[in-house]
Amino acid sequence: MKHRLLILVIAALLLFGCSQTASPTPTSPVTAQATVTLPGPQVDTTTVPDPKQTAQVYLDHWKAEEYPEMYALLTSVSQEAISEEEFTKRYTDLANEAALSSWDYEILSSLKNPESGQVGYKVLMHSVLVGDFDRSTMMNLTLEGGEWRIQWDDSLILPELRGGNKLYMDYRIPSRGNIYSSDGRALVAQADAVAIGLDTATVDPEQEDALLGEIYRLTGVHPDTLSGMIEAWRPYGYYLPVADISIEALGSREAVLAGYSGVILSPFRTRYYFEDGISSHVLGFMSSIQPEEVDYYKRQGYRVDERVGRDGLELYAEKPLAGTRGGALYVVDPNNTIVTQLAATDAQPAEAVYTTLDYDLQLGLQRSNALSEGMQGAIVVMERDTGRVLAMLSSPDFNPNLFEPANFNYSYQINDLYDASTPLLNRATQGQYPLGSVFKIITMAAALESGLYTKDSEYDCGYFFTELQGMQPNDWTYDHYLDDGKTQPSGLLTLPQGLMRSCNPWFWHIGLDFYNRGMYTAISDMARAFGLGSPTGIEIGDAAGQIPDPQSAVDAVNLAIAQGNTQVTPLQVADFIAAVANGWTLYSPQVIDRIVPVDGDPTYVFSPTIRGTLPISPTNLSIIQDAMITVVMDPRGTAYRTSSYGINSFVSSTGIPVAAKTGTAESGSGDPHAWFAGYTFAGLENRPDLAIAVLVQNGGEGSV
């Protein structure tokens, strides 16, 4: 009888313990009541919550990576055995090492007794490196204070981790993809290179001119840049970093260069940016994963000693350039001996990025000192009818190869990239400036579209603007008069002539007239329709700039010539100039032509992307275009020059017609910013028409 009674008791407990209950909302430990009455001799009635519900709360917190909430559900014994910091580290280490993007769970079973319970569950892991894998395990629980608490050990994560085992990922990393110009010449690729430097104490003065000439031919570093430093540093024997160059470019001249006394050549292998970076601000650069980034990048499948894309295309196209990583995930014991393999996948090759950049044009701008050393500014050259960016130059430039620690010159020059001139700033896309007189194109468009002004409207352009009470701002002609004593006011001008002469009072008058009529946003709305005040959509990212609505008559006058709080980027200017040139269509500038895998068709191919249409009638647009031609070709135009370097001389000698607008924008500090913006309209079959914008910070007058 005793044996039969014992069997009945056990059977009753098992039947009751295996019963299932509905799943609650996972917020806190649940205390749903259940009563167990054993057959035979009576025992006290005991309330037993359902352990399944507490397990669900714990696992939901795990999915959300809410580790403090998980830790709070452990038994007091478990909390004494492991600190919250170490507990959290166990879970985050697993997620990092396995490169988990997420994980799910499924409850498989639930068993409860008066003082203890068990919940079986399956965990499905989603790894960006090795794909999906799952494991089933068991959670033991203890009743404390009427609520279930979890007995923690490593097997709650994965059963194979019991006994101090841990995970180890064997990474399979493909070679990084190359970046090319539009015609397929490498801009960035894995290559052997040489860092060139000089031991100033041993440079032979009698050979110095020949040495510097050789360096100039190989690297483009001008002798004047080096000669002064050599003389200043010679008594101290300082090392002078010069440049780096690919082995291929150095070629047969390596022996010649090495033959000069004082030359130090230090070879290294790297992801090499040719010519010290061709449009380095577009390409971006790579640098090591920083300590605060380790968790993020490991979860993305990166090894902690890797370098990753920073800025430009290296950042934007990180995914195709990095390829698809693979790996093999192992469980290893405390001695790092492999216990088992959990999952594995192979890596897939990276893709190559072909840019829209014209190699010769871009390198020509950099080598010709279009923005000479010491200047800060930007140049943007776009295809007028597509939005392709053919060249983008920001000055000062920087050498992306200096972020490579294997480059001997790294330690000597890396800090120069963070000096006050901010060479890492892409002034073409991120620099924000008042636009000055180039903005008069937009004010003219607003005036014509309002119906209040026509191409025959006239204004007497004197030295001063006298329509504002208490203020008499002066025209640029007055500044010239103070300098030369000869320059006269522009006089009576039609609206197109006002643009040609860049008469400030004419456009101040338009801005004030709109404001007085209550048409407060006529000009700012037109500016926004020209794409100002918002990002262009270029892949590498750009600043939005700022187009304010005038709050006063003074604001309205300032806005009419883009002074005050108006801010634009050179890229935005080139973009809207292209729209004026092509007949209304505002394209999103793009720097990627195509992305190409090792095998198969391109995964991306350039297609013009329209982001807006200028709200101008064909008649009014033609008036603006004709006025911009006179800026270049009329002897009174602000871009007309009698010298051989004038834009009009270029037009005459090449037969390629150009329309343009100059700009001079008060900077608030030092000389004004100089602007030039224009376009060609040759209509040739073998070459595209262009739109350009040039900015020189504190460069003076745009007409000069």
Side-chain angles (χ1 to χ4, degrees):
M1 288 298 293
K2 289 181 180 180
H3 291 164
R4 290 179 182 176
L5 178 59
L6 180 58
I7 291 170
L8 288 172
V9 170
I10 293 173
L13 285 172
L14 288 173
L15 285 171
F16 185 79
C18 292
S19 63
Q20 301 294 312
T21 59
S23 300
T25 302
T27 55
S28 61
V30 180
T31 57
Q33 303 288 311
T35 302
V36 179
T37 303
L38 301 179
Q42 294 298 303
V43 298
D44 293 338
T45 300
T46 306
T47 58
V48 182
D50 191 340
K52 173 184 174 182
Q53 298 176 29
T54 299
Q56 285 180 311
V57 172
Y58 183 86
L59 295 171
D60 282 333
H61 283 313
W62 184 16
K63 285 183 62 176
E65 302 186 56
E66 296 169 344
Y67 302 117
E69 290 82 354
M70 295 169 65
Y71 186 77
L73 293 175
L74 301 188
T75 65
S76 56
V77 173
S78 295
Q79 290 181 348
E80 290 175 2
I82 185 170
S83 67
E84 182 177 335
E85 181 181 7
E86 180 61 24
F87 172 84
T88 299
K89 187 175 184 299
R90 298 283 181 92
Y91 279 93
T92 54
D93 284 353
L94 168 111
N96 292 346
E97 193 65 23
L100 297 181
S101 59
S102 62
W103 47 91
D104 297 300
Y105 72 89
E106 177 186 354
I107 299 290
L108 301 176
S109 64
S110 176
L111 175 66
K112 59 180 176 180
N113 294 311
E115 298 294 334
S116 63
Q118 277 190 333
V119 176
Y121 59 96
K122 179 170 68 176
V123 178
L124 176 62
M125 304 287 190
H126 308 288
S127 168
V128 299
L129 283 179
V130 298
D132 294 350
F133 62 96
D134 62 78
R135 286 295 184 273
S136 296
T137 189
M138 188 72 67
M139 178 187 296
N140 292 306
L141 301 95
T142 299
L143 205 60
E144 288 186 357
E147 294 181 343
W148 289 113
R149 298 295 179 185
I150 296 161
Q151 301 174 23
W152 192 84
D153 66 73
D154 292 290
S155 67
L156 289 182
I157 306 175
L158 293 174
E160 290 89 347
L161 298 183
R162 184 182 286 109
N165 293 341
K166 60 184 179 181
L167 297 185
Y168 169 74
M169 180 70 76
D170 180 19
Y171 292 85
R172 299 169 182 175
I173 303 172
S175 298
R176 194 170 179 88
N178 296 342
I179 303 178
Y180 298 95
S181 64
S182 58
D183 65 355
R185 282 184 274 183
L187 303 177
V188 189
Q190 192 73 14
D192 291 309
V194 173
I196 302 173
L198 299 174
D199 178 357
T200 54
T202 60
V203 171
D204 186 345
E206 294 185 1
Q207 295 182 327
E208 185 176 319
D209 288 345
L211 167 61
L212 297 186
E214 182 71 23
I215 289 174
Y216 177 60
R217 287 188 292 273
L218 285 170
T219 68
V221 178
H222 199 276
D224 292 345
T225 304
L226 300 174
S227 58
M229 287 188 284
I230 292 173
E231 295 309 312
W233 294 7
R234 193 191 306 274
Y236 309 101
Y238 291 156
Y239 174 81
L240 175 60
V242 174
D244 49 66
I245 187 171
S246 68
I247 287 289
E248 182 181 17
L250 186 58
S252 61
R253 306 303 296 179
E254 180 177 5
V256 176
L257 188 60
Y260 287 100
S261 61
V263 173
I264 299 174
L265 302 180
S266 305
F268 63 102
R269 183 164 180 78
T270 184
R271 179 171 177 80
Y272 189 70
Y273 298 80
F274 295 92
E275 305 289 350
D276 286 347
I278 299 174
S279 193
S280 55
H281 290 91
V282 171
L283 299 181
F285 58 96
M286 297 187 71
S287 67
S288 300
I289 294 172
Q290 301 302 300
E292 65 274 13
E293 300 174 318
V294 167
D295 287 355
Y296 170 79
Y297 277 106
K298 289 204 73 172
R299 292 283 287 273
Q300 302 302 312
Y302 288 78
R303 204 173 54 210
V304 294
D305 60 349
E306 288 190 72
R307 298 165 73 229
V308 294
R310 311 284 189 182
D311 211 2
L313 289 176
E314 290 282 29
L315 175 61
Y316 174 82
E318 174 71 25
K319 187 171 182 180
L321 289 172
T324 301
R325 287 163 155 69
L329 184 62
Y330 298 100
V331 176
V332 297
D333 66 18
N335 297 318
N336 291 324
T337 301
I338 293 175
V339 175
T340 186
Q341 177 179 287
L342 295 176
T345 58
D346 293 327
Q348 300 299 318
E351 297 178 271
V353 173
Y354 288 78
T355 70
T356 60
L357 297 175
D358 183 293
Y359 189 101
D360 294 322
L361 176 60
Q362 179 70 44
L363 187 59
L365 287 173
Q366 293 178 200
R367 287 264 173 110
S368 67
N369 286 326
L371 290 174
S372 61
E373 189 171 349
M375 281 186 177
Q376 296 184 7
I379 300 173
V380 178
V381 184
M382 294 175 56
E383 281 188 359
R384 187 193 69 181
D385 301 327
T386 66
R388 278 187 175 90
V389 176
L390 303 183
M392 183 180 289
L393 178 65
S394 179
S395 179
D397 207 346
F398 72 96
N399 180 3
N401 296 311
L402 293 178
F403 287 95
E404 170 56 76
N407 184 343
F408 187 75
N409 290 339
Y410 160 86
S411 60
Y412 292 92
Q413 294 182 300
I414 188 65
N415 289 334
D416 294 343
L417 302 183
Y418 299 95
D419 67 19
S421 67
T422 58
L424 296 180
L425 173 66
N426 186 349
R427 287 169 167 79
T429 60
Q430 301 294 336
Q432 301 177 78
Y433 310 91
L435 180 53
S437 294
V438 177
F439 190 87
K440 291 172 182 174
I441 295 169
I442 295 172
T443 301
M444 182 175 176
L448 292 171
E449 287 299 314
S450 73
L452 299 173
Y453 299 87
T454 70
K455 69 175 183 178
D456 298 318
S457 298
E458 293 181 325
Y459 187 87
D460 189 4
C461 187
Y463 281 142
F464 299 98
F465 182 61
T466 60
E467 298 179 44
L468 273 176
Q469 286 188 342
M471 297 179 63
Q472 284 197 14
N474 62 273
D475 187 46
W476 62 268
T477 53
Y478 182 69
D479 294 327
H480 281 237
Y481 170 76
L482 294 178
D483 289 337
D484 60 24
K486 297 184 297 183
T487 302
Q488 294 299 304
S490 296
L492 190 65
L493 301 172
T494 64
L495 182 54
Q497 289 172 335
L499 190 74
M500 174 191 71
R501 288 293 291 165
S502 200
C503 170
N504 287 335
W506 219 138
F507 292 89
W508 285 332
H509 168 75
I510 295 170
L512 184 60
D513 184 30
F514 281 156
Y515 185 82
N516 289 335
R517 291 174 182 269
M519 301 167 62
Y520 304 118
T521 64
I523 295 176
S524 53
D525 287 345
M526 183 62 73
R528 295 183 189 105
F530 271 60
L532 303 184
S534 61
T536 65
I538 192 169
E539 303 96 326
I540 58 176
D542 61 336
Q546 178 175 276
I547 299 297
D549 291 326
Q551 303 299 310
S552 67
V554 173
D555 287 347
V557 167
N558 278 329
L559 176 63
I561 62 168
Q563 291 288 172
N565 295 324
T566 304
Q567 299 279 288
V568 304
T569 69
L571 179 64
Q572 289 173 326
V573 177
D575 198 31
F576 85 66
I577 290 293
V580 170
N582 67 39
W584 308 291
T585 304
L586 191 67
Y587 291 103
S588 290
Q590 298 181 60
V591 291
I592 297 180
D593 185 70
R594 60 197 184 277
I595 299 177
V596 182
V598 173
D599 297 309
D601 297 329
T603 57
Y604 169 82
V605 176
F606 172 90
S607 177
T609 301
I610 297 173
R611 69 186 185 103
T613 302
L614 304 186
I616 312 174
S617 71
T619 299
N620 289 336
L621 183 62
S622 179
I623 293 170
I624 294 171
Q625 292 170 336
D626 290 343
M628 292 178 68
I629 294 172
T630 64
V631 170
V632 173
M633 300 305 297
D634 192 296
R636 297 185 75 198
T638 57
Y640 187 90
R641 287 290 178 275
T642 56
S643 60
S644 60
Y645 63 80
I647 301 298
N648 49 293
S649 299
F650 165 81
V651 173
S652 300
S653 62
T654 64
I656 297 175
V658 174
K661 183 69 189 80
T662 62
T664 304
E666 295 303 321
S667 64
S669 176
D671 291 331
H673 301 318
W675 284 94
F676 179 88
Y679 63 88
T680 68
F681 53 103
L684 302 176
E685 291 185 3
N686 63 335
R687 63 179 66 183
D689 277 307
L690 306 179
I692 76 166
V694 181
L695 161 77
V696 183
Q697 287 183 214
N698 304 113
E701 291 190 359
S703 59
V704 177

